[in-house]
Amino acid sequence: MQRSLDLDDIQGNVTRAYGRYAFPFSRSFFLNIQDCGKGRQFVDAVRKKVTTSATWTEATKPRCTVNIGFTFFGLYKLLVPQRTLRDMPEEFISGMRDRAFLLGDRDPGKTEAEAKGWDAHWDPIWQQNRIGDGDIGNDNVHIWVSFNAQLKELGKAEPVDELEKECQWLRDLCDHLAGGVRIIPHNGRAGDQEYQEGSVLFVQRGDKLIPTPNEHFGFTDAIGDPVFRGQLSDAEAKDAVIGTGKWMNAKTGWQPIEPGEFVLGHPDESQELPPIARPPEFMTNGTFMSYRKLHQNVGSFEAVVAEEARTYAKLQAIDEPEARETLRAKMCGRWSDGVPLAQAPTYAEWQAMSEKLGFNVADPVQALWNKLNYIRSPEASNFRYADDMLGYKTPLGAHIRRMNTRDYMDPLNQTGIDPATGCQFANPNATHGLNKRRRILRRGLPYGPPPGAEKTDETEQGVAMISMCASLQRQFEFVQQQWIQYGLDFHQGNDTCPMLGNHHQHKRFSIQSDPASGKPPFIMSKLRTFVECRGGDYFFVPSLTSLRMMAMGIIDPT
Amino acid sequence: MADLDSGHIFLTTLAPIKGVNAESGTGISHEQRVRIALAQLPTALQSPATQGIGINSPLARNRRTHLARMFVLSDIVYNGRNPQNPLVATAKGIDPVDPLPIDQLSTAYLVFCADVDAIVNDGDPLPHNLTKAQQKAVRASYARKLWDTMGDELQDIYQNCVGFEGVKTADDFAAYLDKCHVETTMPFHDYYLDLPKFNELNTKLLLGAVLVPAAIAVLSLLLRIFGMLHLPMLGFSTFWTFVVAAVVTVVVALLAIAYALRNGAKPLPPAKHDDLPSVLKGLYVQQTFSDFVIDHQAAEPNELHRAFGDYLARHRPENKMSPTQTPGVISIRAEGGITL
C-alpha cells in the first residue's frame, strides 16, 4: 500500500492553490525580526493558526487561511543552528536579488558595472531587502505571512470579515512583541502599503461583480497545476491527474508526479530523496517558495499586439480583430478563454468550441460557471505536443509550451511529416521524461486596480507570483532561465517567452504555419518586455513540526 | 581512434609543468606562472564583460578551432581508502588503521584540449577517416597554425613546461605538442543536422556465427553422453565433432568480440556543413536572412523577388569563407562581427 503524505504536517498552500478553492483574496505581510526570543514567540503564536493540508469539509473549511515562510536570514535571525543553515541550497542562501542575472531580471547584455541601478524599478521593500544582516535599522525581509480569504457575498468584490480580523491579530501580536518582530510597511510601488494585496479579477455584469479566473492581459490563468502523489484522495486524483500529472505510456496512462518534487523528505522523480539539511525533521514536509511581484505592462501589450496584427491580418487575409485574437492565442498557447490551441488550432474551431462549452451564454454567472467547469475538467489539460513537433498548432515558443513541455522533449520523438499519412508524426509513445523534473506549483493571485479601471504600463497591476518546489534551482530557476529567458530547447535560439520574457534585446517570436494551409509563417519582431519583476525573494515554507522546533529553539543537527 | 570523429580532431594534450624546485628565483612556482598566463589570456568576445574588454581570444585567430580549453591539472582527487570486504581484509591480515598509499601525479600538467576541423588547409572538406599518420599530420598542421597566429601567448604559457626550452619554430611546437598528445576516449559532438548512417553492428550475423558451432558442440556432447559414438548419417565421431565445434565457437566468439570493438572504434562520418567556416557562415546567414524575412513580410512577389536577388548578391550564401561571422564573437552585430 502506498503511504500517504502526512497532510496535517504540511502547510495548506503547498497542496492547495487557494484561488481554486474559492479564496479569491490574499494579503502578504513581510516582517523583520530584531530579537530572536521575540521571533520564536512570534513563530509559536502563528504556528497554532497555520492552515494545514488536512482534508476539510464545507463545515471545517476556514474562512481565512494563515501560512508562513522564512527567508534564509529569517532562519538565521531565529538562531537556527549554523550547521543546519550551511546545508541549505545555495540559491536559497543567496536570495532572489543575487540570482537576478540568471532569472533575467538583470539585463544579461550588460556588465555588472553597466547594470548598476538595475533594480531601480523594484518596489522599495525589495530594494531595501538583504542589505547587511545587522540588528538595528534595516528592513530585511525575514518572514512572510499570508492570509487568503473567501468571498463575503457573490456579486460583490469583498472578502469575509475574518481577513481583517486576522490582519489585526497579526498587528496586535507585533505590538505585543514591542519591535522584536515588526511588519515592514513598504509594499507597493510608492512603498506606502502595509501588505501586498492579491485578488482575482472581477468583471462588472449588470449590478454584480463577478470573479473571473483571468489575469490582466485578459487570458484565463491557473489551469494546469501539477498533481502529485498523496496530494489528493484516490478518487479525486483519478480525474485531476489527467493532463496535469505525468504521461507514462498507453498502458499506465497519467500518473501523479512523485511528491519529492514538491515536498521535501520524499522520493522524487529521480527515485532519490532530495538533499535536505540536518536534522531531517527540520525540512521534511517543508518546501521552497519563490515570491515574485510581476508587474504587467498592459498598455505595451495591447499596443504591440495591435501593431503586429495589422501586418498579420494583411498576410493572412483576415480582419484585424481575428488577427489580434489569433496572435494573442499563438503567444500564449491557449485562446483567451483557456481553450488550448492544441485542441482548437484555428479561430473558427475556437469559436465553435467556445459556443459549444457555453462560454457566451447570456447569464454571466452561468457563463462563469461553465468556464470554471471547463478549466477544472480534464479536457482543458488533456493535450500533448509530441503530435505537433513542428508547432503548426501551438507555436514552439508559445508561453504554455515553454512552461510545461509535456511530451515535446521526449528524445525519441520523430519530427517532420510522416510519409504514410502526410501529417506530422503522431509520436503515440512519447512520455514526459524531461518535463517531470521541472514542474512547479503556482500559488499566486493577481493584484491591481478595481474592476473597470483603465490599465496602462504605469498603473499598478500584475501577479503576486508564488512558485513552490523542492529545488528552486532545478525547478523554478531552470524554467525561468532556460525556458522563459532562452529558447534553445524549443529551437528558438535566444528568443525569450513572448509573454514573460525580457525583450530588451530579443524582440522576436516565430509563429509556425502548416504549409498545407498555404499561409506563410509569421515573425513578431517588435515585442517589448510585457512582464517585469518588481522584486521578491526565496522562502522556506516549513512543516508544522519544523515550526514547533523553531519556536522551541530545539533544532539539533548532530 | 577516438581522436578522430565526425571529421573533427578532438585534441587532448598534457604538458608537464616544471616542478617547484626546478628553477630558483622569484618565489612564484611555474604552476603559478602558468595560471597567471592563462588568467591573462583573453576569452572570446562572448559575454558583455569580454565584449567590454574588446580583445578577442587568440584562438579565434584561426578558422579551425570550434572549442578550446586550457587549464592546470594540479593533481588527481583523493577519494579516500579503497573500499574492501572486511572479512577478506581480516583474512589477509590487513590492518585498516594502516594508511594506504595515496595516488598522486608526479607533477602538475597543463592540459590543452581543442575540437578542431581535421584538415590541413583552411576550407578543405572534412574527412571521414584518416590513418594514424594522417591524423598526426592534421595535429601538426593545427599546431603550426597556432604557432603562427598565437606564438607569443604560447611562449608565455609553455615556457613553464618541461622540455619546452628548445621550441623556437612552428615545427618545433608541432613536435612538442605531439609528445604531449594523449588519445581522447570520449569525444563530444553537437552538430548533426541529419543523423548519418552509423557503424551499426550486424548482431544477428555475429550471434549466428557463434551460436551455430556452439549448438553443434552441445548437440554432439549430448549425443556422446547418451552413448552415440558417431553422428547419424554423417558418421563423424561425436567426441571430435564436439571438440572441433567447441574450438570453432571460442575462436569465432573472440573474433566477433574483436570485430565489435573495432566497429565501435570506427570514426563517425562528418555531418553536413560541419566545418568551422560553414558553421560561421551558417550563423551569418541565419541572422541576415531572418532580418530579410521580417522586413519583407507581406511584400509583393515582384518586390520580394528583386529584394532576394539583392540579398543573394550581397551575402553570397554559397561562399562559406566570406562574408561571414568573425570567429569568437557572439553575433554579427558585435563590433568587428563580420569578416568580409
Side-chain angles (χ1 to χ4, degrees):
Chain A
M1 198 178 97
Q2 183 85 35
R3 186 167 164 188
S4 62
L5 294 171
D6 182 359
L7 295 173
D8 292 302
D9 198 38
I10 301 171
Q11 291 204 42
N13 49 355
V14 180
T15 55
R16 292 190 183 99
Y18 289 134
R20 291 182 68 152
Y21 288 83
F23 292 84
F25 302 97
S26 73
R27 288 181 187 176
S28 285
F29 285 83
F30 299 96
L31 300 101
N32 173 277
I33 304 171
Q34 295 284 316
D35 177 288
C36 171
K38 301 272 177 66
R40 286 180 181 165
Q41 281 182 44
F42 179 86
V43 175
D44 197 41
V46 175
R47 76 175 178 87
K48 292 169 189 157
K49 293 178 87 83
V50 161
T51 309
T52 69
S53 296
T55 314
W56 61 37
T57 63
E58 275 309 310
T60 58
K61 181 177 175 178
R63 306 267 285 168
C64 177
T65 64
V66 182
N67 289 103
I68 186 168
F70 300 85
T71 61
F72 176 78
F73 279 115
L75 301 178
Y76 178 81
K77 281 288 171 196
L78 288 170
L79 296 189
V80 170
Q82 294 227 2
R83 194 166 171 182
T84 305
L85 293 178
R86 284 187 177 132
D87 284 344
M88 289 283 178
E90 62 168 312
E91 70 278 7
F92 173 66
I93 296 172
S94 299
M96 189 178 285
R97 180 206 290 277
D98 202 51
R99 312 287 278 184
F101 188 83
L102 64 84
L103 295 176
D105 297 338
R106 221 186 86 190
D107 186 350
K110 285 185 175 155
T111 61
E112 210 166 320
E114 290 166 346
K116 206 167 164 45
W118 63 269
D119 61 347
H121 61 293
W122 276 24
D123 285 358
I125 184 171
W126 301 113
Q127 281 188 49
Q128 289 153 22
N129 183 30
R130 284 190 178 256
I131 296 173
D133 59 354
D135 279 328
I136 309 295
N138 72 54
D139 276 338
N140 284 346
V141 174
H142 293 147
I143 305 178
W144 163 78
V145 173
S146 81
F147 302 106
N148 282 66
Q150 296 195 35
L151 192 64
K152 192 171 184 180
E153 183 186 335
L154 189 62
K156 288 185 180 163
E158 284 175 24
V160 290
D161 296 335
E162 281 81 352
L163 176 61
E164 185 47 38
K165 273 188 210 155
E166 294 292 5
C167 293
Q168 192 52 45
W169 171 82
L170 187 73
R171 293 181 196 110
D172 292 345
L173 176 61
C174 289
D175 288 347
H176 173 68
L177 297 172
V181 175
R182 58 192 175 82
I183 295 168
I184 307 169
H186 300 319
N187 284 279
R189 189 94 191 95
D192 56 356
Q193 293 165 22
E194 188 192 25
Y195 49 81
Q196 175 61 54
E197 197 159 34
S199 158
V200 302
L201 304 192
F202 288 80
V203 288
Q204 188 88 38
R205 290 281 180 267
D207 59 347
K208 287 196 166 74
L209 285 169
I210 307 292
T212 71
N214 293 355
E215 48 69 69
H216 292 284
F217 293 149
F219 292 93
T220 305
D221 198 11
I223 303 178
D225 248 359
V227 167
F228 55 93
R229 202 181 296 284
Q231 179 189 19
L232 303 170
S233 70
D234 286 352
E236 286 173 307
K238 198 166 154 280
D239 272 351
V241 79
I242 296 172
T244 55
K246 60 189 182 205
W247 175 259
M248 302 298 291
N249 51 54
K251 192 171 163 226
T252 323
W254 291 100
Q255 292 290 314
I257 294 170
E258 292 301 329
E261 294 292 319
F262 308 104
V263 185
L264 295 162
H266 301 271
D268 64 18
E269 284 292 342
S270 73
Q271 304 279 285
E272 287 174 350
L273 285 174
I276 53 174
R278 289 165 292 178
E281 300 79 17
F282 181 69
M283 293 182 78
T284 295
N285 287 339
T287 191
F288 287 104
M289 168 185 123
S290 147
Y291 173 89
R292 272 167 88 73
K293 188 178 168 188
L294 297 178
H295 172 78
Q296 289 177 277
N297 290 315
V298 176
S300 286
F301 185 77
E302 300 294 348
V304 167
V305 171
E307 188 185 352
E308 298 267 11
R310 280 195 282 279
T311 318
Y312 189 65
K314 191 177 160 195
L315 199 69
Q316 301 279 326
I318 54 177
D319 61 22
E320 279 189 33
E322 180 179 336
R324 263 204 299 277
E325 276 302 328
T326 309
L327 280 187
R328 285 161 54 90
K330 292 285 185 181
M331 290 166 85
C332 175
R334 288 183 189 268
W335 297 91
S336 51
D337 54 15
V339 172
L341 279 170
Q343 289 173 358
T346 65
Y347 186 78
E349 284 166 282
W350 168 54
Q351 294 274 291
M353 195 154 160
S354 299
E355 196 61 41
K356 195 182 95 191
L357 292 166
F359 294 168
N360 307 323
V361 295
D363 177 5
V365 177
Q366 186 59 44
L368 171 71
W369 193 242
N370 290 344
K371 197 166 164 178
L372 289 179
N373 274 342
Y374 170 71
I375 62 176
R376 288 172 188 179
S377 70
E379 285 79 53
S381 298
N382 192 10
F383 58 92
R384 49 193 291 164
Y385 299 127
D387 60 354
D388 182 26
M389 291 297 287
L390 296 171
Y392 294 163
K393 289 188 272 185
T394 313
L396 299 176
H399 172 67
I400 65 164
R401 193 161 179 153
R402 287 170 180 262
M403 298 296 89
N404 179 3
T405 60
R406 297 174 182 258
D407 51 358
Y408 171 59
M409 312 275 263
D410 189 317
L412 297 179
N413 284 350
Q414 280 183 286
T415 305
I417 301 296
D418 185 350
T421 62
C423 300
Q424 295 191 62
F425 288 102
N427 291 315
N429 298 323
T431 70
H432 280 199
L434 293 179
N435 182 53
K436 60 193 181 187
R437 302 220 72 205
R438 311 291 183 193
R439 303 302 313 279
I440 51 171
L441 306 171
R442 291 174 300 153
R443 299 292 181 251
L445 278 179
Y447 66 91
E454 193 197 1
K455 294 173 195 168
T456 67
D457 287 1
E458 304 311 317
T459 49
E460 215 192 339
Q461 72 267 317
V463 175
M465 181 74 192
I466 288 170
S467 312
M468 289 179 163
C469 49
S471 166
L472 290 165
Q473 188 264 333
R474 169 165 57 79
Q475 292 158 280
F476 167 73
E477 290 189 341
F478 179 91
V479 172
Q480 181 71 21
Q481 182 186 29
Q482 295 293 316
W483 289 352
I484 293 182
Q485 305 292 7
Y486 193 45
L488 208 59
D489 283 353
F490 311 96
H491 305 286
Q492 303 294 294
N494 285 326
D495 288 351
T496 64
C497 172
M499 294 175 74
L500 290 191
N502 182 326
H503 299 301
H504 285 113
Q505 285 197 65
H506 304 289
K507 302 174 192 303
R508 293 177 185 173
F509 168 57
S510 308
I511 299 172
Q512 292 77 36
S513 169
D514 186 348
S517 71
K519 298 285 169 63
F522 184 68
I523 304 171
M524 296 178 78
S525 60
K526 302 176 180 69
L527 301 187
R528 289 182 237 159
T529 301
F530 304 124
V531 177
E532 286 174 314
C533 183
R534 289 279 161 85
D537 209 341
Y538 293 153
F539 293 83
F540 173 56
V541 180
S543 69
L544 276 288
T545 304
S546 178
L547 285 171
R548 181 179 52 74
M549 290 164 72
M550 275 191 253
M552 294 174 76
I554 50 150
I555 301 159
D556 183 359
T558 56
Chain B
M1 284 293 280
D3 273 356
L4 176 75
D5 207 16
S6 58
H8 293 226
I9 288 283
F10 295 86
L11 180 70
T12 307
T13 66
L14 272 78
I17 296 172
K18 289 175 187 167
V20 179
N21 300 318
E23 275 178 35
S24 62
T26 60
I28 304 174
S29 68
H30 289 285
E31 186 180 335
Q32 299 267 31
R33 288 183 206 206
V34 173
R35 289 183 187 280
I36 291 166
L38 290 182
Q40 290 173 340
L41 206 63
T43 50
L45 305 179
Q46 290 173 338
S47 68
T50 54
Q51 283 177 320
I53 294 167
I55 307 168
N56 206 341
S57 163
L59 288 150
R61 290 176 202 153
N62 69 74
R63 278 205 248 175
R64 293 188 199 177
T65 315
H66 290 254
L67 294 163
R69 172 175 286 185
M70 281 183 172
F71 61 92
V72 175
L73 178 66
S74 278
D75 209 338
I76 48 173
V77 174
Y78 176 56
N79 279 326
R81 279 182 83 90
N82 294 329
Q84 55 188 341
N85 185 319
L87 292 179
V88 174
T90 309
K92 283 185 177 171
I94 297 171
D95 186 345
V97 173
D98 289 345
L100 292 175
I102 294 173
D103 273 352
Q104 282 187 297
L105 294 179
S106 55
T107 177
Y109 284 86
L110 165 65
V111 183
F112 170 46
C113 309
D115 168 7
V116 302
D117 286 344
I119 52 172
V120 289
N121 295 304
D122 282 356
D124 280 356
L126 298 181
H128 184 153
N129 212 343
L130 294 175
T131 62
K132 290 223 159 189
Q134 286 170 321
Q135 286 188 37
K136 191 171 173 171
V138 167
R139 293 199 303 268
S141 164
Y142 179 67
R144 284 195 293 270
K145 188 88 185 175
L146 284 186
W147 190 264
D148 292 342
T149 52
M150 56 179 291
D152 290 347
E153 287 90 345
L154 292 174
Q155 182 79 34
D156 276 355
I157 300 164
Y158 277 93
Q159 65 181 345
N160 300 295
C161 295
V162 176
F164 190 73
E165 295 78 10
V167 176
K168 302 287 178 228
T169 66
D171 287 337
D172 294 344
F173 183 64
Y176 180 77
L177 211 56
D178 207 56
K179 276 198 276 182
C180 300
H181 168 243
V182 291
E183 192 182 85
T184 307
T185 49
M186 286 185 76
F188 170 75
H189 190 69
D190 193 32
Y191 281 131
Y192 283 126
L193 295 171
D194 303 306
L195 289 183
K197 197 174 174 311
F198 290 121
N199 308 315
E200 280 175 18
L201 206 58
N202 191 337
T203 41
K204 278 186 188 162
L205 194 70
L206 288 179
L207 274 177
V210 178
L211 290 181
V212 168
I216 293 170
V218 171
L219 191 65
S220 312
L221 185 63
L222 285 174
L223 291 175
R224 187 78 182 186
I225 289 168
F226 287 109
M228 283 183 73
L229 299 181
H230 299 281
L231 289 174
M233 287 188 290
L234 293 170
F236 298 156
S237 154
T238 44
F239 175 73
W240 285 111
T241 307
F242 160 70
V243 171
V244 170
V247 170
V248 169
T249 304
V250 171
V251 170
V252 172
L254 290 174
L255 287 173
I257 291 168
Y259 178 78
L261 289 176
R262 278 189 57 174
N263 190 64
K266 276 189 214 160
L268 299 175
K272 222 170 161 183
H273 311 307
D274 198 6
D275 55 313
L276 190 69
S278 297
V279 171
L280 290 168
K281 184 75 186 195
L283 291 169
Y284 176 85
V285 171
Q286 188 184 47
Q287 292 164 80
T288 53
F289 190 67
S290 55
D291 286 343
F292 175 83
V293 170
I294 287 171
D295 291 344
H296 296 87
Q297 290 189 116
E300 297 301 325
N302 284 342
E303 185 200 338
L304 185 63
H305 187 260
R306 185 193 53 73
F308 189 58
D310 291 347
Y311 175 86
L312 293 179
R314 189 165 159 218
H315 298 295
R316 300 200 295 279
E318 76 291 350
N319 182 344
K320 70 178 176 183
M321 302 309 275
S322 83
T324 189
Q325 178 165 322
T326 308
V329 302
I330 195 146
S331 109
I332 57 171
R333 288 188 185 83
E335 202 177 327
I338 297 177
T339 303
L340 293 172

